[in-house]
Amino acid sequence: MIVRRLTPDILGTDREVESENGNWVSRRLVLADDGVGFSFHDTIIRAGTETYIHYANHIEAVYCVAGNGEIHDIANDTTHKISDGMMYLLNNHDRHYLRGGTEDMRLICVFNPPLTGKEVHDENGHYPLMS
Ligand code: 9YT
């Protein structure tokens, strides 16, 4: 069994990753090197931000437990409000905009295959909004 807590195991370590544009911070509770086939993250999306995301190589499930925001599904030109209790599943490598709302949003995320922890730095499958 593995047991971890945000403090002291994640916050302030290399498992706490800040996005280059400052839009989010991701606390990686489980990563590929844990060897269980998925990674598990507790992510804060900052209020008022917009991030273009395309996970070309991963499936991601996201469950909101606090705050608010929205996701815009580009293929369908559809926007969904996000708040406590809402889940979205990117089962088709869906291109989307993730937008923070009026307060920071806390999202619990699962990735398959698991992130190694290096993806944010090489931008693999995950691109910032360029406009
Ligand atoms: C929900 C989402 O995709 N946020 C961006 C960060 C990502 N979850 C990560 O790298 O942990």
Side-chain angles (χ1 to χ4, degrees):
M1 182 183 295
I2 296 170
V3 176
R4 294 187 178 122
R5 302 174 197 277
L6 283 182
T7 301
D9 302 312
I10 308 296
L11 301 186
T13 75
D14 61 3
R15 284 175 170 260
E16 181 183 33
V17 176
E18 182 90 28
S19 67
E20 288 177 2
N21 57 17
N23 285 4
W24 50 262
V25 59
S26 177
R27 293 83 68 92
R28 276 74 184 270
L29 291 150
V30 177
L31 285 170
D33 62 4
D34 291 309
V36 293
F38 61 88
S39 58
F40 185 84
H41 312 188
D42 177 341
T43 303
I44 304 296
I45 308 297
R46 300 222 164 85
T49 63
E50 179 179 71
T51 307
Y52 171 70
I53 297 177
H54 177 218
Y55 292 119
N57 304 307
H58 300 84
I59 301 298
E60 185 192 24
V62 178
Y63 185 65
C64 180
V65 296
N68 63 75
E70 63 183 33
I71 180 170
H72 181 76
D73 179 349
I74 294 171
N76 296 318
D77 193 22
T78 303
T79 300
H80 305 276
K81 297 286 186 196
I82 302 174
S83 60
D84 182 13
M86 184 271 203
M87 187 280 304
Y88 63 88
L89 176 62
L90 303 171
N91 56 322
N92 281 321
H93 306 287
D94 312 80
R95 298 169 196 268
H96 61 281
Y97 289 99
L98 185 59
R99 300 181 182 126
T102 57
E103 57 185 271
D104 288 356
M105 183 164 58
R106 188 173 186 184
L107 302 177
I108 308 304
C109 315
V110 175
F111 281 80
N112 177 25
L115 295 198
T116 65
K118 299 186 176 73
E119 284 82 356
V120 166
H121 303 294
D122 66 11
E123 300 288 325
N124 180 25
H126 185 177
Y127 307 106
L129 181 63
M130 301 305 286
S131 61

